[in-house]
Structures are given as C-alpha cells and as structure tokens.
Amino acid sequence: MSYQINVKNFGKIKKAKVEVSPLTFFVGDNNSGKSYLLTLLWGLQSEKLIQVLTRNIEKIDKKYYQDIYDKIKLFVSEAREPDDEISFDISEFEGLINQLLMKNRNMFVQKLFNSENMSIGKLSVELEKKNRISLSIDDVSEDVICYFADYMGADIGQMRSRTEQIVADILEFMIQRILNETVIIAEKNIYFPASRTGFLLAKDSINQTGREKTFTLVLDEEEQKMEPFTMPILHFLNYLDDKELDTDENRYQKICDFIENEVVHGKVVRGGAIQNKVEYIPSSQDIALPMRTSSAVVTELVPLLLILKSSKEIGQLCYEEPEMCLHPELQLQMARILIQLANLKTNVIATTHSDIILQHVNNMCRLAEIEKPDELMERYGLTKDDCIRFQDVSVYQFTNKGDYSTVKELKPNEDGFHIPTFSNALLNILEQTTDIQEYKEQED
C-alpha cells in the first residue's frame, strides 16, 4: 500500500492513521476495533468495493479535478498513435480521491460489512507523493477507445464505448488503479476470519448458491435485505470451495512443506467421492481423514494451506488471530510463516494477542541487524527467509477506553517493539504469583 489511510468514528475507533508495511500487526484490547480496521483494509484492496468508493465523480465539485479532467479530455481527443502517453503526478488526484471517499464512505462500509447499520465518520488517504501514473491509448475508433493506466509497475487497461462519459470513466479507472495499486484478482486479497475453523468444518453444509444469495453487490442506491456474512467472509468461503490445489511447484511451496512437515505432520488433499472435499492424511498413515475427525491445529491451518497451494500470488493477507488454537511452540512457528510470507512480497496484516509471535518478530529483526548471523541461524535452524527488518514491520496498539478506542503506532526501541498490554498482563500475573507465594510462606 503506497498510501496512508485515516479514519474517524468507525465502530469504537475514535480515530486512526495506518500505513501497511510488509508485516503489520494490530495488538491490544478485545472489542477495540482491530477486526473492524482489518476488514476495512481488506475492502480497500477489493476490486468490487473500490467501484463503490469511486463512483459518482460527476457529483463532485469540479474544482477538485478540473485540471486533470481537462488534460485527459484533450489527450483523448488528440491521441491517435498507440505510443501516445500522458503522465500525472499522483498528488493531482488526492483531492478528488478524498472527496469520493467521503461521499461514498457509508455505502462502502455497508457493502463491506453487509449491514445497513454501519457508518464511518471519515475515510481519507494520504498518497505517496513521489509516485506517478500514466495514461496511454492502445486503439482508437469512432465508437470504441482502448486505454491503459500504468501505476506501480503494472500496466492495466480496459475498453469503453466512446461517449460523453468517457473522460469521467477514464478518470474513475485511474483512481481505481491508484487505490488498488496492482492487478487485483480473486487470489490476491485474502481474509482469514477468526472463525475459520468453524467455517471450514461447515462449508460443505453451507451451499455456495445460498451463500451468494446472502450477499449480492448492488451499485445503485437500492438496498437489498442484509444477511449474515460480511463480504470478506463470503470471499473466504468461496475461495475454500472453488480453488483446485496446484500440483506444480509454486512460490509458496517451501512454506507449504514447512507447515505439513513441521506443524500439522501430514498432507492436505482435495478430492475423494465428494467434489471439493478436503481431507487430511497423517504422516503416520495412508488413510485420509475427514476434517471433522482432525485435531484443532489441522483444521486451523488447512485454510492457509489450501490458499497457499492454490495461489500463484497473494498481494495481501488479512489474518485474524493467527495464533488461534496453537500451542506456544507452534505460535513461534506461525511467526516464522508470517515473516516468510512477507518476504515473498505478500503484505501480511494480522490481529494478535500473542506475545510469542511479536517476540519472535523482534528476534528476527535483531538477527537481521547482525553482520554475520550464520552461526546463530544454524543453531536455531533458521535461514535468511526467516529474518525481517524493523523498517518492514509496523505495530499498532488498540486501547479500549470504554465508549471509544484509540489507535497508536508503536515504534521499536533497541530491543524491538514493546507491547504494553502484553507486558502489563505478564507483570500482573507475576505480581500475583509472588504475593500468593509470600502469603503462603507467612502462614507456614
């Protein structure tokens, strides 16, 4: 993400300013808005929902985009050759983008959360000013125009009928490119809900057609009846059902092998008598077990395995409580997995209550600073893929104040990220243990 988002009065969150790093953690109190903000960040990389945020340009005061509108109009009218191109500084779009976000913000969160009761007081972005976006024309005729927008190294295009609306259409497309940054296809933006084990076990009983009926994205003002699933959960369910496992080597093969060999100790397969049925084959036997008979650690990590095995590239992974159901030793292994994913250019955003995950991240950041770490790496069975730099990690502390929550970015000191809620809880239990022991000794 090459922009910083700002929100106000969103659920319990009074205000927050967040910029996603390769590895980002939301930590802090329960019921403080961590999952709300995680869902929002997923929505900002959803192609369908970006269409909600960027609609109705014609209703925005033209003072926010008159210059770029006129430049695009002139370019489209004069462009005749495939190599014709016009380039813009990204700052030229910020005013218009923020006006659109403010205008469409409530419809956006209502579609995202599938609830007409959702609202957000403010949604805006601060763009990375050094970036530029270019527009080129590939083909022009009296009736149709084909154009491309090149942003962040990805050149994406579309074809539209030549109408009076064409300039606004191109402008909207360019804004969508800025907000999405890269090509967005289904597998590039994944959300893992905290209830993923339950969804995995129940997915075969939840008919896909029925799921689709619970959420149909409508871009006009008419609202449909709201139903149980949020949009990212629907996407998660459909992804578990639809994707075939890739039998060829893919970029996540090493991580999949690590999970199967070191964490779940078995293979995950799809198939059998029932189409898309997911089964687990323990390493100690050849017989496949249905998910309902597998342990919690297996059902917890199968969704991750399925997605890694079936994806060529994941741009963003939003992960609620990756430590769920995991023994402390396996929480450490999960921290390794998250770092390795981040090093494969997947932006990982996770909510967590695990001090073990954060401490391992601190250790790997410090290890990355050691000039000759080979001896330590060999001692602990680590590789360079396990290390990450402090500048590639962001941590945001959520604090529940009762009626509202605050969000604060935590900066690392020489020892790493210090998480107040984690350390305070450990100090409290230590103090309690000491008091009880001293009291017992006095009685004796």
Side-chain angles (χ1 to χ4, degrees), residues 74-104:
L74 180 62
F75 175 70
V76 170
S77 65
E78 294 182 347
R80 289 293 180 269
E81 300 298 327
D83 293 334
D84 288 349
E85 181 178 292
I86 186 172
S87 180
F88 298 86
D89 189 285
I90 210 70
S91 62
E92 296 182 65
F93 292 83
E94 189 169 292
L96 173 58
I97 288 175
N98 284 326
Q99 287 297 311
L100 287 168
L101 297 188
M102 283 300 292
K103 182 173 185 59
N104 299 314

mmCIF file of all heavy atoms in Angstrom, residues 74-104:
data_model
loop_
_atom_site.group_PDB
_atom_site.id
_atom_site.type_symbol
_atom_site.label_atom_id
_atom_site.label_comp_id
_atom_site.label_asym_id
_atom_site.label_seq_id
_atom_site.Cartn_x
_atom_site.Cartn_y
_atom_site.Cartn_z
ATOM 1 N N LEU A 74 -8.366 16.484 -23.432
ATOM 2 C CA LEU A 74 -7.558 16.930 -24.557
ATOM 3 C C LEU A 74 -6.731 15.769 -25.112
ATOM 4 O O LEU A 74 -6.637 15.587 -26.334
ATOM 5 C CB LEU A 74 -6.632 18.066 -24.127
ATOM 6 C CG LEU A 74 -5.715 18.649 -25.213
ATOM 7 C CD1 LEU A 74 -6.544 19.266 -26.338
ATOM 8 C CD2 LEU A 74 -4.757 19.684 -24.620
ATOM 9 N N PHE A 75 -6.167 14.982 -24.221
ATOM 10 C CA PHE A 75 -5.347 13.843 -24.649
ATOM 11 C C PHE A 75 -6.168 12.835 -25.448
ATOM 12 O O PHE A 75 -5.742 12.359 -26.508
ATOM 13 C CB PHE A 75 -4.734 13.165 -23.423
ATOM 14 C CG PHE A 75 -3.970 11.906 -23.735
ATOM 15 C CD1 PHE A 75 -2.765 11.964 -24.404
ATOM 16 C CD2 PHE A 75 -4.470 10.669 -23.360
ATOM 17 C CE1 PHE A 75 -2.055 10.792 -24.691
ATOM 18 C CE2 PHE A 75 -3.778 9.506 -23.638
ATOM 19 C CZ PHE A 75 -2.564 9.571 -24.312
ATOM 20 N N VAL A 76 -7.361 12.523 -24.972
ATOM 21 C CA VAL A 76 -8.214 11.548 -25.650
ATOM 22 C C VAL A 76 -8.633 12.061 -27.028
ATOM 23 O O VAL A 76 -8.699 11.302 -28.003
ATOM 24 C CB VAL A 76 -9.460 11.227 -24.792
ATOM 25 C CG1 VAL A 76 -10.480 10.416 -25.589
ATOM 26 C CG2 VAL A 76 -9.055 10.471 -23.539
ATOM 27 N N SER A 77 -8.907 13.352 -27.118
ATOM 28 C CA SER A 77 -9.358 13.912 -28.396
ATOM 29 C C SER A 77 -8.236 13.971 -29.428
ATOM 30 O O SER A 77 -8.482 13.892 -30.633
ATOM 31 C CB SER A 77 -9.932 15.313 -28.181
ATOM 32 O OG SER A 77 -8.926 16.210 -27.747
ATOM 33 N N GLU A 78 -6.960 14.082 -28.958
ATOM 34 C CA GLU A 78 -5.848 14.246 -29.883
ATOM 35 C C GLU A 78 -5.064 12.961 -30.124
ATOM 36 O O GLU A 78 -4.362 12.839 -31.122
ATOM 37 C CB GLU A 78 -4.887 15.329 -29.369
ATOM 38 C CG GLU A 78 -5.512 16.714 -29.364
ATOM 39 C CD GLU A 78 -4.536 17.774 -28.896
ATOM 40 O OE1 GLU A 78 -3.466 17.380 -28.351
ATOM 41 O OE2 GLU A 78 -4.814 18.975 -29.087
ATOM 42 N N ALA A 79 -5.146 11.992 -29.175
ATOM 43 C CA ALA A 79 -4.339 10.765 -29.283
ATOM 44 C C ALA A 79 -4.772 9.936 -30.477
ATOM 45 O O ALA A 79 -5.949 9.653 -30.661
ATOM 46 C CB ALA A 79 -4.462 9.948 -28.003
ATOM 47 N N ARG A 80 -3.812 9.532 -31.269
ATOM 48 C CA ARG A 80 -4.108 8.713 -32.439
ATOM 49 C C ARG A 80 -3.155 7.523 -32.557
ATOM 50 O O ARG A 80 -3.479 6.537 -33.194
ATOM 51 C CB ARG A 80 -4.014 9.566 -33.708
ATOM 52 C CG ARG A 80 -5.151 10.579 -33.855
ATOM 53 C CD ARG A 80 -6.479 9.876 -34.079
ATOM 54 N NE ARG A 80 -7.588 10.818 -34.216
ATOM 55 C CZ ARG A 80 -8.333 11.242 -33.197
ATOM 56 N NH1 ARG A 80 -8.061 10.805 -31.974
ATOM 57 N NH2 ARG A 80 -9.329 12.089 -33.387
ATOM 58 N N GLU A 81 -1.958 7.628 -31.978
ATOM 59 C CA GLU A 81 -0.958 6.577 -32.104
ATOM 60 C C GLU A 81 -0.915 5.726 -30.838
ATOM 61 O O GLU A 81 -1.122 6.227 -29.731
ATOM 62 C CB GLU A 81 0.426 7.191 -32.352
ATOM 63 C CG GLU A 81 0.515 8.030 -33.619
ATOM 64 C CD GLU A 81 0.254 7.200 -34.859
ATOM 65 O OE1 GLU A 81 0.611 6.002 -34.848
ATOM 66 O OE2 GLU A 81 -0.300 7.736 -35.832
ATOM 67 N N PRO A 82 -0.599 4.413 -30.957
ATOM 68 C CA PRO A 82 -0.549 3.521 -29.790
ATOM 69 C C PRO A 82 0.453 3.961 -28.725
ATOM 70 O O PRO A 82 0.279 3.643 -27.556
ATOM 71 C CB PRO A 82 -0.147 2.170 -30.405
ATOM 72 C CG PRO A 82 -0.594 2.245 -31.817
ATOM 73 C CD PRO A 82 -0.434 3.679 -32.223
ATOM 74 N N ASP A 83 1.494 4.668 -29.120
ATOM 75 C CA ASP A 83 2.518 5.069 -28.161
ATOM 76 C C ASP A 83 2.204 6.390 -27.462
ATOM 77 O O ASP A 83 2.972 6.835 -26.600
ATOM 78 C CB ASP A 83 3.882 5.185 -28.864
ATOM 79 C CG ASP A 83 4.393 3.830 -29.338
ATOM 80 O OD1 ASP A 83 4.003 2.815 -28.723
ATOM 81 O OD2 ASP A 83 5.172 3.792 -30.302
ATOM 82 N N ASP A 84 1.124 7.025 -27.827
ATOM 83 C CA ASP A 84 0.774 8.288 -27.190
ATOM 84 C C ASP A 84 0.538 8.071 -25.699
ATOM 85 O O ASP A 84 -0.119 7.113 -25.291
ATOM 86 C CB ASP A 84 -0.488 8.878 -27.825
ATOM 87 C CG ASP A 84 -0.219 9.422 -29.215
ATOM 88 O OD1 ASP A 84 0.969 9.521 -29.576
ATOM 89 O OD2 ASP A 84 -1.182 9.732 -29.931
ATOM 90 N N GLU A 85 1.078 8.977 -24.879
ATOM 91 C CA GLU A 85 1.014 8.793 -23.421
ATOM 92 C C GLU A 85 1.008 10.148 -22.723
ATOM 93 O O GLU A 85 1.590 11.113 -23.211
ATOM 94 C CB GLU A 85 2.206 7.957 -22.955
ATOM 95 C CG GLU A 85 2.243 7.685 -21.458
ATOM 96 C CD GLU A 85 3.431 6.817 -21.052
ATOM 97 O OE1 GLU A 85 3.432 5.628 -21.428
ATOM 98 O OE2 GLU A 85 4.345 7.349 -20.387
ATOM 99 N N ILE A 86 0.317 10.186 -21.574
ATOM 100 C CA ILE A 86 0.335 11.362 -20.727
ATOM 101 C C ILE A 86 0.569 10.897 -19.293
ATOM 102 O O ILE A 86 0.072 9.847 -18.891
ATOM 103 C CB ILE A 86 -0.984 12.160 -20.844
ATOM 104 C CG1 ILE A 86 -0.885 13.468 -20.052
ATOM 105 C CG2 ILE A 86 -2.181 11.334 -20.394
ATOM 106 C CD1 ILE A 86 -2.069 14.389 -20.270
ATOM 107 N N SER A 87 1.366 11.672 -18.537
ATOM 108 C CA SER A 87 1.738 11.264 -17.182
ATOM 109 C C SER A 87 1.287 12.310 -16.169
ATOM 110 O O SER A 87 1.259 13.514 -16.462
ATOM 111 C CB SER A 87 3.257 11.064 -17.105
ATOM 112 O OG SER A 87 3.635 10.674 -15.814
ATOM 113 N N PHE A 88 0.915 11.833 -14.978
ATOM 114 C CA PHE A 88 0.429 12.718 -13.914
ATOM 115 C C PHE A 88 1.187 12.465 -12.617
ATOM 116 O O PHE A 88 1.511 11.316 -12.282
ATOM 117 C CB PHE A 88 -1.063 12.470 -13.638
ATOM 118 C CG PHE A 88 -1.969 12.738 -14.796
ATOM 119 C CD1 PHE A 88 -2.219 11.758 -15.752
ATOM 120 C CD2 PHE A 88 -2.597 13.977 -14.932
ATOM 121 C CE1 PHE A 88 -3.069 12.000 -16.813
ATOM 122 C CE2 PHE A 88 -3.438 14.228 -15.993
ATOM 123 C CZ PHE A 88 -3.676 13.232 -16.947
ATOM 124 N N ASP A 89 1.439 13.529 -11.891
ATOM 125 C CA ASP A 89 1.925 13.393 -10.522
ATOM 126 C C ASP A 89 0.761 12.916 -9.660
ATOM 127 O O ASP A 89 -0.364 13.405 -9.798
ATOM 128 C CB ASP A 89 2.444 14.737 -9.996
ATOM 129 C CG ASP A 89 3.152 14.587 -8.674
ATOM 130 O OD1 ASP A 89 2.467 14.401 -7.651
ATOM 131 O OD2 ASP A 89 4.390 14.646 -8.665
ATOM 132 N N ILE A 90 1.028 11.973 -8.783
ATOM 133 C CA ILE A 90 -0.046 11.347 -8.013
ATOM 134 C C ILE A 90 -0.778 12.347 -7.122
ATOM 135 O O ILE A 90 -1.970 12.178 -6.808
ATOM 136 C CB ILE A 90 0.527 10.173 -7.175
ATOM 137 C CG1 ILE A 90 -0.548 9.095 -6.986
ATOM 138 C CG2 ILE A 90 1.066 10.606 -5.850
ATOM 139 C CD1 ILE A 90 -0.874 8.377 -8.233
ATOM 140 N N SER A 91 -0.098 13.401 -6.724
ATOM 141 C CA SER A 91 -0.732 14.395 -5.846
ATOM 142 C C SER A 91 -1.904 15.094 -6.523
ATOM 143 O O SER A 91 -2.793 15.629 -5.848
ATOM 144 C CB SER A 91 0.306 15.431 -5.403
ATOM 145 O OG SER A 91 0.826 16.128 -6.522
ATOM 146 N N GLU A 92 -1.947 15.092 -7.869
ATOM 147 C CA GLU A 92 -3.040 15.737 -8.584
ATOM 148 C C GLU A 92 -4.377 15.051 -8.329
ATOM 149 O O GLU A 92 -5.439 15.640 -8.539
ATOM 150 C CB GLU A 92 -2.745 15.749 -10.091
ATOM 151 C CG GLU A 92 -1.526 16.572 -10.490
ATOM 152 C CD GLU A 92 -1.302 16.581 -11.987
ATOM 153 O OE1 GLU A 92 -2.169 17.129 -12.709
ATOM 154 O OE2 GLU A 92 -0.282 16.024 -12.451
ATOM 155 N N PHE A 93 -4.346 13.801 -7.882
ATOM 156 C CA PHE A 93 -5.569 13.028 -7.676
ATOM 157 C C PHE A 93 -6.060 13.012 -6.238
ATOM 158 O O PHE A 93 -7.183 12.590 -5.977
ATOM 159 C CB PHE A 93 -5.348 11.572 -8.126
ATOM 160 C CG PHE A 93 -5.163 11.394 -9.599
ATOM 161 C CD1 PHE A 93 -3.924 11.591 -10.192
ATOM 162 C CD2 PHE A 93 -6.234 11.029 -10.403
ATOM 163 C CE1 PHE A 93 -3.746 11.426 -11.545
ATOM 164 C CE2 PHE A 93 -6.067 10.864 -11.767
ATOM 165 C CZ PHE A 93 -4.825 11.060 -12.340
ATOM 166 N N GLU A 94 -5.225 13.458 -5.294
ATOM 167 C CA GLU A 94 -5.555 13.255 -3.886
ATOM 168 C C GLU A 94 -6.836 13.971 -3.466
ATOM 169 O O GLU A 94 -7.678 13.400 -2.759
ATOM 170 C CB GLU A 94 -4.387 13.701 -2.996
ATOM 171 C CG GLU A 94 -4.585 13.317 -1.539
ATOM 172 C CD GLU A 94 -3.334 13.525 -0.710
ATOM 173 O OE1 GLU A 94 -2.348 12.793 -0.934
ATOM 174 O OE2 GLU A 94 -3.358 14.419 0.154
ATOM 175 N N GLY A 95 -7.021 15.203 -3.898
ATOM 176 C CA GLY A 95 -8.219 15.950 -3.520
ATOM 177 C C GLY A 95 -9.488 15.269 -4.004
ATOM 178 O O GLY A 95 -10.455 15.109 -3.249
ATOM 179 N N LEU A 96 -9.496 14.846 -5.275
ATOM 180 C CA LEU A 96 -10.666 14.167 -5.830
ATOM 181 C C LEU A 96 -10.909 12.834 -5.131
ATOM 182 O O LEU A 96 -12.052 12.502 -4.791
ATOM 183 C CB LEU A 96 -10.475 13.945 -7.333
ATOM 184 C CG LEU A 96 -11.540 13.085 -8.025
ATOM 185 C CD1 LEU A 96 -12.935 13.670 -7.843
ATOM 186 C CD2 LEU A 96 -11.204 12.911 -9.506
ATOM 187 N N ILE A 97 -9.838 12.062 -4.921
ATOM 188 C CA ILE A 97 -9.991 10.760 -4.261
ATOM 189 C C ILE A 97 -10.632 10.928 -2.897
ATOM 190 O O ILE A 97 -11.571 10.201 -2.536
ATOM 191 C CB ILE A 97 -8.629 10.049 -4.144
ATOM 192 C CG1 ILE A 97 -8.173 9.566 -5.526
ATOM 193 C CG2 ILE A 97 -8.707 8.876 -3.165
ATOM 194 C CD1 ILE A 97 -6.783 8.967 -5.535
ATOM 195 N N ASN A 98 -10.177 11.879 -2.114
ATOM 196 C CA ASN A 98 -10.717 12.052 -0.771
ATOM 197 C C ASN A 98 -12.147 12.577 -0.776
ATOM 198 O O ASN A 98 -12.940 12.241 0.112
ATOM 199 C CB ASN A 98 -9.798 12.952 0.057
ATOM 200 C CG ASN A 98 -8.546 12.215 0.508
ATOM 201 O OD1 ASN A 98 -8.594 11.025 0.782
ATOM 202 N ND2 ASN A 98 -7.432 12.919 0.575
ATOM 203 N N GLN A 99 -12.493 13.348 -1.772
ATOM 204 C CA GLN A 99 -13.892 13.771 -1.898
ATOM 205 C C GLN A 99 -14.781 12.563 -2.217
ATOM 206 O O GLN A 99 -15.884 12.428 -1.672
ATOM 207 C CB GLN A 99 -14.026 14.827 -3.006
ATOM 208 C CG GLN A 99 -13.467 16.186 -2.626
ATOM 209 C CD GLN A 99 -14.204 16.809 -1.457
ATOM 210 O OE1 GLN A 99 -15.446 16.867 -1.445
ATOM 211 N NE2 GLN A 99 -13.462 17.287 -0.465
ATOM 212 N N LEU A 100 -14.308 11.688 -3.090
ATOM 213 C CA LEU A 100 -15.068 10.484 -3.418
ATOM 214 C C LEU A 100 -15.193 9.554 -2.208
ATOM 215 O O LEU A 100 -16.259 8.983 -1.948
ATOM 216 C CB LEU A 100 -14.398 9.728 -4.574
ATOM 217 C CG LEU A 100 -14.539 10.358 -5.963
ATOM 218 C CD1 LEU A 100 -13.601 9.673 -6.954
ATOM 219 C CD2 LEU A 100 -15.975 10.276 -6.457
ATOM 220 N N LEU A 101 -14.089 9.411 -1.468
ATOM 221 C CA LEU A 101 -14.132 8.547 -0.282
ATOM 222 C C LEU A 101 -15.137 9.066 0.737
ATOM 223 O O LEU A 101 -15.882 8.281 1.344
ATOM 224 C CB LEU A 101 -12.743 8.450 0.358
ATOM 225 C CG LEU A 101 -11.618 7.821 -0.468
ATOM 226 C CD1 LEU A 101 -10.376 7.620 0.392
ATOM 227 C CD2 LEU A 101 -12.041 6.508 -1.084
ATOM 228 N N MET A 102 -15.163 10.365 0.919
ATOM 229 C CA MET A 102 -16.102 10.937 1.889
ATOM 230 C C MET A 102 -17.541 10.782 1.409
ATOM 231 O O MET A 102 -18.447 10.494 2.201
ATOM 232 C CB MET A 102 -15.775 12.406 2.135
ATOM 233 C CG MET A 102 -14.574 12.622 3.051
ATOM 234 S SD MET A 102 -14.823 11.880 4.710
ATOM 235 C CE MET A 102 -16.123 12.934 5.347
ATOM 236 N N LYS A 103 -17.754 10.947 0.120
ATOM 237 C CA LYS A 103 -19.118 10.862 -0.402
ATOM 238 C C LYS A 103 -19.668 9.438 -0.345
ATOM 239 O O LYS A 103 -20.843 9.225 -0.034
ATOM 240 C CB LYS A 103 -19.170 11.383 -1.845
ATOM 241 C CG LYS A 103 -20.576 11.365 -2.445
ATOM 242 C CD LYS A 103 -20.620 12.028 -3.787
ATOM 243 C CE LYS A 103 -22.049 12.103 -4.310
ATOM 244 N NZ LYS A 103 -22.952 12.847 -3.396
ATOM 245 N N ASN A 104 -18.809 8.468 -0.636
ATOM 246 C CA ASN A 104 -19.257 7.077 -0.767
ATOM 247 C C ASN A 104 -18.896 6.198 0.433
ATOM 248 O O ASN A 104 -19.114 4.993 0.402
ATOM 249 C CB ASN A 104 -18.644 6.460 -2.037
ATOM 250 C CG ASN A 104 -19.069 7.185 -3.295
ATOM 251 O OD1 ASN A 104 -20.239 7.491 -3.486
ATOM 252 N ND2 ASN A 104 -18.119 7.476 -4.165
#
